[in-house]
């Protein structure tokens, strides 16, 4: 497995990768096309993303790696239709996002957990189902089973302030999964978990992905996590974020601790070292 460090990268393998089936009529869950973004600062503006193009093929798990401030969260916010690009276009399931994202098909686990402090863990998870037509009893049942999945069955009645940081992020994970979305956006979903829980969550996520054939886009600083989980890795350069590397990962699962996975981790780390960026692990 080699890494292509050119800025305009699409590896041949990535270009010709067949679309794995989620049953979606759209070959790409999300497409970023020449996306650029500036934010206001100190009376002027500064450039956060420059001409970023890549696709998330339907059914794939895609990891976005990049230094702090390179625009990773901004990309997810664009996929969710919460932020509009200044240039280029973001498409979800073949439709431009221009304020039109179908939230019933999208799950979003934000970088901060965004739990409502006055609601219990269970009620924070049911929240994601309250805009739909799911009857109350079923909402509670589904939420409870998702909390069990993330190891928090016994904490359903706890309030966020009674939970540790790692537990709160697991509640947020349960909430993002409870709607059974077609596309799951996850912003550093496992960064606050201890190593053992993180490994368990990795296995769970891959199991859920196998069952549901959904598309997952997750942001991480952790190169090993990207290699263990992703079918495809996109790496951004330091701000303004540009596409530094895109590669397909075809190693069979489970990958944790395998020679090939470790080699790929080493190659990616070398590419990061070459970036000379402020990389936060
Ligand atoms: N709504 C906003 N208004 C102004 N500036 C913003 C806004 N959102 C993000 N930024 C700035 O844009 C840059 C990129 O932010 P973003 O959160 O996308 O980075 P990131 O790659 O997710 O970083 P991290 O790894 O630290 O989470 C940062 O410098 C941030 O301060
Ligand atoms: Mg971020």
């Amino acid at each position: 497995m080699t890494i292509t460090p050119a800025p305009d990268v699409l590896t041949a393998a990535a270009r010709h990768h067949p679309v794995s089936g989620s049953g979606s009529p759209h070959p790409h869950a999300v497409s970023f096309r020449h996306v650029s973004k500036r934010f206001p600062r100190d009376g002027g503006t500064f450039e956060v993303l420059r001409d970023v193009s890549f696709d998330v093929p339907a059914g794939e798990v895609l990891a976005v790696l990049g230094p702090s401030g390179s625009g990773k969260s901004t990309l997810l916010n664009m996929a969710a239709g919460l932020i509009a690009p200044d240039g280029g276009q973001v498409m979800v399931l073949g439709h431009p996002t221009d304020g039109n994202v179908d939230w019933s098909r999208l799950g979003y686990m934000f970088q901060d957990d965004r739990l409502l402090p006055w609601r219990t863990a269970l009620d924070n998870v049911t929240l994601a189902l309250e805009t739909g037509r799911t009857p109350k009893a079923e909402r509670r049942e589904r939420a409870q089973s998702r909390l069990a999945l993330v190891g928090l069955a016994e904490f359903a009645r706890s309030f966020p302030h009674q939970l540790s940081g790692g537990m709160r992020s697991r509640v947020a994970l349960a909430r993002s999964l409870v709607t059974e979305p077609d596309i799951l956006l996850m912003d550093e979903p496992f960064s606050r978990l201890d190593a053992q829980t993180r490994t368990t969550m990795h296995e769970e996520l891959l199991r859920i992905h196998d069952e549901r054939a959904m598309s997952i886009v997750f942001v991480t600083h952790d190169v090993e996590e990207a290699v263990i989980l992703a079918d495809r890795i996109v790496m951004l350069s330091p701000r303004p974020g540009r596409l530094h590397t895109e590669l397909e990962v075809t190693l069979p699962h489970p990958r944790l601790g395998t020679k090939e996975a470790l080699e790929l981790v080493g190659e990616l780390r070398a590419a990061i070292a070459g970036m000379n960026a402020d990389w936060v692990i």
Side-chain angles (χ1 to χ4, degrees), residues 62-68 70 72-73 76 111 186-191 198 202 217-230 232-236 272 279-281:
L62 183 141
V64 182
L65 279 169
S68 187
S70 60
K72 303 180 300 296
S73 298
L76 288 196
Q111 190 164 3
M186 308 174 92
D187 201 344
E188 306 202 23
F190 310 115
S191 59
R198 191 180 310 146
H202 288 165
V217 187
F218 76 99
V219 166
T220 182
H221 286 109
D222 184 343
V223 175
E224 194 175 17
E225 181 168 272
V227 168
I228 287 167
L229 294 178
R232 187 177 299 272
I233 297 176
V234 162
M235 189 150 72
L236 299 179
I272 290 165
W279 196 279
V280 183
I281 303 279

Side-chain angles (χ1 to χ4, degrees), residues 11-219:
T11 62
R15 258 198 309 272
H16 301 300
H17 181 72
V19 174
S20 40
S22 71
S24 163
H26 306 290
H28 297 135
V30 186
S31 293
F32 297 94
R33 287 273 162 268
H34 303 292
V35 166
S36 62
K37 184 69 190 173
R38 304 182 77 87
F39 280 119
R41 187 174 60 184
D42 298 338
T45 63
F46 72 110
E47 190 181 17
V48 174
L49 290 166
R50 183 186 295 173
D51 195 20
V52 173
S53 297
F54 66 92
D55 297 313
V56 184
E60 278 200 14
V61 180
L62 183 141
V64 182
L65 279 169
S68 187
S70 60
K72 303 180 300 296
S73 298
T74 304
L75 282 175
L76 288 196
N77 284 333
M78 286 179 179
L82 300 175
I83 292 178
D86 294 331
Q89 197 172 41
V90 182
M91 315 266 283
V92 171
L93 297 169
H95 300 289
T97 48
D98 319 330
N100 263 329
V101 172
D102 180 357
W103 275 88
S104 67
R105 304 187 70 179
L106 207 68
Y108 195 171
M109 185 176 169
F110 293 94
Q111 190 164 3
D112 47 348
D113 58 54
R114 300 202 187 182
L115 301 182
L116 300 179
W118 58 88
R119 284 187 161 225
T120 62
L122 185 77
D123 291 341
N124 266 287
V125 179
T126 57
L127 186 67
L129 294 168
E130 282 169 19
T131 49
R133 292 194 183 150
T134 319
K136 191 171 176 190
E138 190 188 327
R139 291 204 295 262
R140 294 181 73 78
E141 206 176 293
R142 281 170 60 178
Q144 186 68 47
S145 85
R146 285 304 175 204
L147 281 176
L149 181 74
V150 298
L152 290 178
E154 289 168 30
F155 292 87
R157 289 162 181 240
S158 299
F159 288 90
H161 76 272
Q162 297 170 316
L163 301 172
S164 70
M167 291 160 94
R168 291 166 61 109
S169 49
R170 281 187 277 155
V171 175
L173 178 60
R175 184 179 55 191
S176 70
L177 290 171
V178 76
T179 55
E180 303 195 337
D182 292 328
I183 302 174
L184 183 55
L185 308 172
M186 308 174 92
D187 201 344
E188 306 202 23
F190 310 115
S191 59
R192 292 164 79 193
L193 304 182
D194 63 90
Q196 199 176 335
T197 312
R198 191 180 310 146
T199 301
T200 310
M201 288 296 120
H202 288 165
E203 287 164 1
E204 280 305 325
L205 189 73
L206 289 175
R207 193 185 58 72
I208 293 165
H209 178 255
D210 271 359
E211 269 176 14
R212 289 258 315 129
M214 60 184 165
S215 313
I216 300 177
V217 187
F218 76 99
V219 166

